[in-house]
Amino acid sequence: MIRDIIVYPDNRLRKVSKDVLKFDTELHSLLDDMYETMIAKEGIGLAAIQIGIDKNILLINLADEEGRQNKEDLLEVINPKINRLEGSEIYQEGCLSIPGYYDDIKRAKQINVEYFDRFGKKIVRDLDGLLAIAMQHEMDHLKGHLFIEKLSYLKRKKFEKEWKKRLKAGK
Ligand code: Y12
Ligand code: CO
């Protein structure tokens, strides 16, 4: 089932998510709904809080060289923790909860992360490139943070002004 995405400045996006305790069929159907929603909305990443579920769950599905998102490449990430951050890199980010706004954001270039898959199996991985960026972006959602919080004071002020105008126009 495709769920509605919560859009900024909805306060539900500020909630801190909680760890998943049961790796059961309810979790599996939530993961399936999240995947369906992310693909339908043309996203490459989605955190559960973006559909109003305050659980430490996120998905990432990057496109291949031909621009296609293959389900075999889908990362289902449950209760993630970052063990190590290295270097820094600037990438242009966007977010399904802030549609139409993109900006350059500085984050760690390489990370070591541990998480659980849908069956409760522990995975430990080194990530770099867009995968590392997307993981940090989605993990910020789990802590109630959005990428616009990383903008400079002036850029954030400009964003807020434009966003208010857009909401007023009902767009
Ligand atoms: C780099 C890039 C992205 C991330 C996090 C994941 N972000 C997304 O998946 C954002 C997707 C997105 C899709 C939109 O819809 C379309 O393009 C059709 C969109 O809407 C508009 O632009 C109108 C906005 C965002 C981390 C790092
Ligand atoms: Co986002």
Side-chain angles (χ1 to χ4, degrees), residues 45-74:
L46 183 72
I49 196 63
Q50 292 178 274
I51 57 163
I53 310 285
D54 58 344
K55 290 187 177 166
N56 284 326
I57 303 173
L58 65 91
L59 301 184
I60 298 173
N61 194 15
L62 301 187
D64 63 18
E65 300 89 69
E66 277 109 48
R68 283 192 217 103
Q69 279 171 291
N70 306 302
K71 199 166 183 188
E72 308 89 78
D73 300 327
L74 173 68

Side-chain angles (χ1 to χ4, degrees), residues 45-47 50 93-98 137-138 141 145-147:
L46 183 72
Q50 292 178 274
E93 298 190 15
C95 181
L96 286 171
S97 294
I98 313 175
H137 174 113
E138 300 307 333
H141 277 296
H145 294 301
L146 298 167
F147 79 98

Side-chain angles (χ1 to χ4, degrees), residues 2-15:
I2 297 171
R3 312 272 193 112
D4 288 336
I5 303 261
I6 296 174
V7 172
Y8 182 80
D10 194 309
N11 270 330
R12 285 174 290 175
L13 290 170
R14 296 184 192 276
K15 234 176 152 183

Side-chain angles (χ1 to χ4, degrees), residues 41-45 92-96 100 102 130 133-134 137-138:
K41 310 285 181 187
E42 298 185 34
I44 58 162
Q92 192 178 65
E93 298 190 15
C95 181
L96 286 171
Y102 301 87
L130 185 54
I133 300 296
H137 174 113
E138 300 307 333

Side-chain angles (χ1 to χ4, degrees), residues 8 101 148 155-163:
Y8 182 80
Y101 185 78
I148 50 168
K155 269 196 171 179
R156 178 68 185 267
K157 254 179 86 165
K158 189 163 176 268
F159 162 78
E160 292 295 344
K161 202 173 160 191
E162 284 168 7
W163 198 255

Side-chain angles (χ1 to χ4, degrees), residues 130-145:
L130 185 54
L131 207 44
I133 300 296
M135 182 67 76
Q136 292 171 77
H137 174 113
E138 300 307 333
M139 284 183 73
D140 274 356
H141 277 296
L142 305 182
K143 301 273 178 228
H145 294 301

